[in-house]
Amino acid sequence: MTEPLPVLRAVDGGTAKLMPDIDRERAWLLTVDGAPQSYVDLDDPTHLEFEYARRLAHVVDAAADEGAPLDVVHLGGGALTLPRYVAATRPGSRQDVVEADRGLLALVEEHLPVPEGAGVTVHGADAREWLAAAPADSADIVVGDVFGGSRVPAHLTSVEYAREVERVLRPGGCYAANLADGAPFAFLRSQLATFAALFGELALVAEPAVLRGRRFGNAVLVASHAPLDTARLTRRAAADAFPARVEHGAALARLVGDARVVGDADAVASPEPPGGAFGIG
């Protein structure tokens, strides 16, 4: 049997590379300009290699009864890791994936196609523009996982953006965003303050070393109008190979402190990661 070879292609956002995993027969790592974007195992879509992907999946797992179908909007597509997971664990779900990089979408469709009948619809569009045109009260979960290189774009960090998320979510729905920051957490704190201005329930899922300011890393923000099942989320996050902590309530309020709500006029992208923080080889 011929071993799979890496695939290199210019896409809208830079140079994409698909690299086969030598330990898993049909698994691939996607990078763009050296920054890891997605990991997909075509034979086992429930295998989530990246820590942040597992934490987003924990939010989905805790959002409804096991196996119950959900309507999910994914802002940011990559190689569609989380949509594949939802399709496998919650058959009958309806999912919209919004990805601005059409070249990347073409690469993924060619080499890592989603099975027919998975209920996943892919849209080549800007996340915020697509969201603004989406029907109100149409999603159980909105996932924000948009990175331009290694940074969250500024127009997806403002209170105006958060209002669009709130409009599209059903009353009991939740928003989960993959963010990245390091101490003193100016960006992360501003995002928490911004979503706290609209949503009564907030949580943050991150590795303890990140929360203590020891290293730059990912943190998953969760926001809802309905009570969050933080106990269930905590159990799942703690059981990971690299355990995460769930902050909520008073502890989260202390982290937010005096951070201010961000508007379109003063929104900035997430900080550039320190050299090598997310790079590969």
Side-chain angles (χ1 to χ4, degrees), residues 90-171:
R90 296 180 177 275
S93 294
R94 294 184 301 176
Q95 302 187 79
D96 288 290
V97 180
V98 188
E99 171 60 59
D101 193 326
R102 290 174 172 83
L104 184 60
L105 288 178
L107 175 67
V108 171
E109 184 178 6
E110 180 181 346
H111 292 276
L112 308 173
V114 175
E116 288 289 331
V120 177
T121 304
V122 178
H123 310 269
D126 174 81
R128 183 157 165 187
E129 289 178 5
W130 187 93
L131 199 65
D137 301 331
S138 58
D140 299 307
I141 300 177
V142 174
V143 177
D145 189 16
V146 181
F147 280 77
S150 299
R151 306 179 71 186
V152 180
H155 71 301
L156 303 180
T157 68
S158 68
V159 71
E160 291 88 349
Y161 162 73
R163 286 196 190 103
E164 290 293 355
V165 171
E166 181 188 36
R167 183 186 64 81
V168 170
L169 281 173
R170 295 187 175 121

Side-chain angles (χ1 to χ4, degrees), residues 45 72 74 76-77 79-88 95-97 114 118 120:
V72 186
H74 303 264
L80 284 67
T81 303
L82 192 61
R84 297 171 201 266
Y85 174 87
V86 173
Q95 302 187 79
D96 288 290
V97 180
V114 175
V120 177

Side-chain angles (χ1 to χ4, degrees), residues 48-71:
L48 303 175
E49 187 78 9
F50 291 167
E51 295 167 32
Y52 82 83
R54 291 198 296 274
R55 288 163 195 164
L56 289 171
H58 295 330
V59 176
V60 174
D61 291 342
D65 292 339
E66 186 175 344
L70 294 169
D71 293 338

Side-chain angles (χ1 to χ4, degrees), residues 208-252:
V210 172
L211 291 172
R212 292 184 187 124
R214 292 178 182 170
R215 69 174 183 86
F216 190 98
N218 294 93
V220 171
L221 178 155
V222 189
S224 180
H225 287 302
L228 297 168
D229 192 345
T230 52
R232 188 176 178 187
L233 195 55
T234 297
R235 287 193 301 271
R236 289 179 178 270
D240 274 345
F242 294 93
R245 204 164 75 207
V246 178
E247 296 282 17
H248 59 96
L252 194 59

